[in-house]
Amino acid sequence: MAGLARALAHAPRNRTVARLARSRAAAWLVNPHADVTAAELRAAVAGKTVLVTGASYGLGAATARRLGAAGATVVLLARTEHALEETARAVREAGGFAHPYPVDLSDPAAVEPVAADIIDRHGPVDVLVNNAGKSIRRSIADSTGRFGDFERTIGVNYLGPVRLMLALLPAMRERGSGHLVNISTIGVRIPPGPRWAAYQASKSAFDVFFRSTAAEAAADGVTASSVYMALIRTRMSAPTAIFDNLPGLSADEAAGIVCRAIVSRPAKISPWWADAAEVVFSAARHPWERIVAGMYRDSHGATTTQDTREIRP
Ligand SMILES: NC(=O)c1ccc[n+]([C@@H]2O[C@H](COP(=O)([O-])OP(=O)(O)OC[C@H]3O[C@@H](n4cnc5c(N)ncnc54)[C@H](OP(=O)(O)O)[C@@H]3O)[C@@H](O)[C@H]2O)c1
């Protein structure tokens, strides 16, 4: 009797634990895995210069901390100075070296001087992790008069990283070595959904730029990995209620996947189901688009917005 009473008293907590366990299991099933040991990461990055954009929060900060613990010199780029300093402190405490550069990647005048300063002080970077990003979820109906949404996403997700690569790549190619990592999204590999026009168009643009550039840079010994991430629980995904019940990785788990890209240098890391999904969606494009349009019509266009500036603490 007492056991039953105890079980009933703990039922809500047990339900929460069970839900979390289901969510963890689902995330494990649908995402790529890290599969990299601390020793392998150390062998790949100790004493090397690794530049991580968007290193103030989320995936970038978690990646920088792992690289620091493996003995890398981590160059950290983002806008928020105090958060960059926080990541730098964590990198140093973990045994690495950290150099924060507060910069707005979408500012056309800011990127080239920073890149020149980085090359002056550290030489050609060994690994560039293009991670900084901005997501906006808003219907086109709600976007009239909001052209800035498109300028901001294209600025951070496309033009900024293009400028950075144009500035850093020549020194890497001249030296004949280096590795480029692009943190892309699974959204560029499946059909574009309603409300994601600004974000998915900007991420798709850089995905194409990156892969085309990779084909050229390979001839000079510079390798490249595109990492197609599914849901990661960071401040980027936090405001979007539709993600609440989907399986997501923690920033640290996703950082493990970025480390795998740095160690193994594959052309692509993607969830196992994405290749099949691409084939199915392209064969069934017309019916799929009709289903999605019907679902959008029935949802009455309810919009939530993700803007990392607006939700900044
Ligand atoms: N979260 C997901 O579910 C998910 C899924 C697929 C792909 N991704 C991709 O993963 C990457 C990391 O996102 P996250 O989830 O870690 O998001 P996050 O926590 O919001 O971090 C985004 C990072 O980008 C930086 N950033 C934004 N605008 C910038 C600008 N104008 N100049 C310089 N840095 C800027 C932010 O720093 P400041 O604000 O300090 O500048 C922050 O460090 C992004 O490329 C995103 O597209 C995320």
Side-chain angles (χ1 to χ4, degrees), residues 54-60 77-80 103-106 131-134 156 183-186 199 203 229-232 234-237 308 312:
S56 51
Y57 297 105
L59 175 56
L77 265 64
R79 292 168 302 180
T80 313
V103 64
D104 182 346
L105 277 174
S106 66
N131 164 79
K134 173 178 185 58
V156 185
I183 308 304
S184 190
T185 164
I186 195 65
Y199 177 64
K203 294 293 277 189
M229 291 289 184
L231 180 63
I232 313 166
T234 60
R235 68 184 188 151
M236 181 180 277
S237 56
T308 51
R312 175 172 299 176

Side-chain angles (χ1 to χ4, degrees), residues 85-222:
E85 288 297 343
E86 181 65 23
T87 307
R89 193 178 52 76
V91 167
R92 290 178 194 125
E93 278 175 9
F97 304 90
H99 302 275
Y101 285 81
V103 64
D104 182 346
L105 277 174
S106 66
D107 176 354
V111 176
E112 279 167 26
V114 163
D117 191 35
I118 290 168
I119 294 174
D120 270 0
R121 288 174 62 185
H122 308 284
V125 300
D126 294 294
V127 182
L128 167 63
V129 181
N130 171 68
N131 164 79
K134 173 178 185 58
S135 172
I136 291 179
R137 180 174 183 266
R138 180 170 284 124
S139 70
I140 289 301
D142 287 339
S143 298
T144 302
R146 294 190 59 98
F147 191 68
D149 285 354
F150 298 87
E151 291 177 317
R152 285 187 294 165
T153 43
I154 211 77
V156 185
N157 297 338
Y158 178 60
L159 294 176
V162 167
R163 270 192 199 96
L164 190 64
M165 268 180 60
L166 291 178
L168 295 176
L169 196 51
M172 299 170 82
R173 295 178 79 173
E174 200 177 316
R175 193 182 51 187
S177 67
H179 187 54
L180 310 165
V181 178
N182 180 35
I183 308 304
S184 190
T185 164
I186 195 65
V188 310
R189 303 202 58 209
I190 58 178
R195 305 185 184 90
W196 291 106
Y199 177 64
Q200 288 194 1
S202 60
K203 294 293 277 189
S204 298
F206 191 70
D207 181 56
V208 172
F209 168 89
F210 185 82
R211 287 159 56 203
S212 174
T213 302
E216 294 185 29
D220 296 320
V222 178

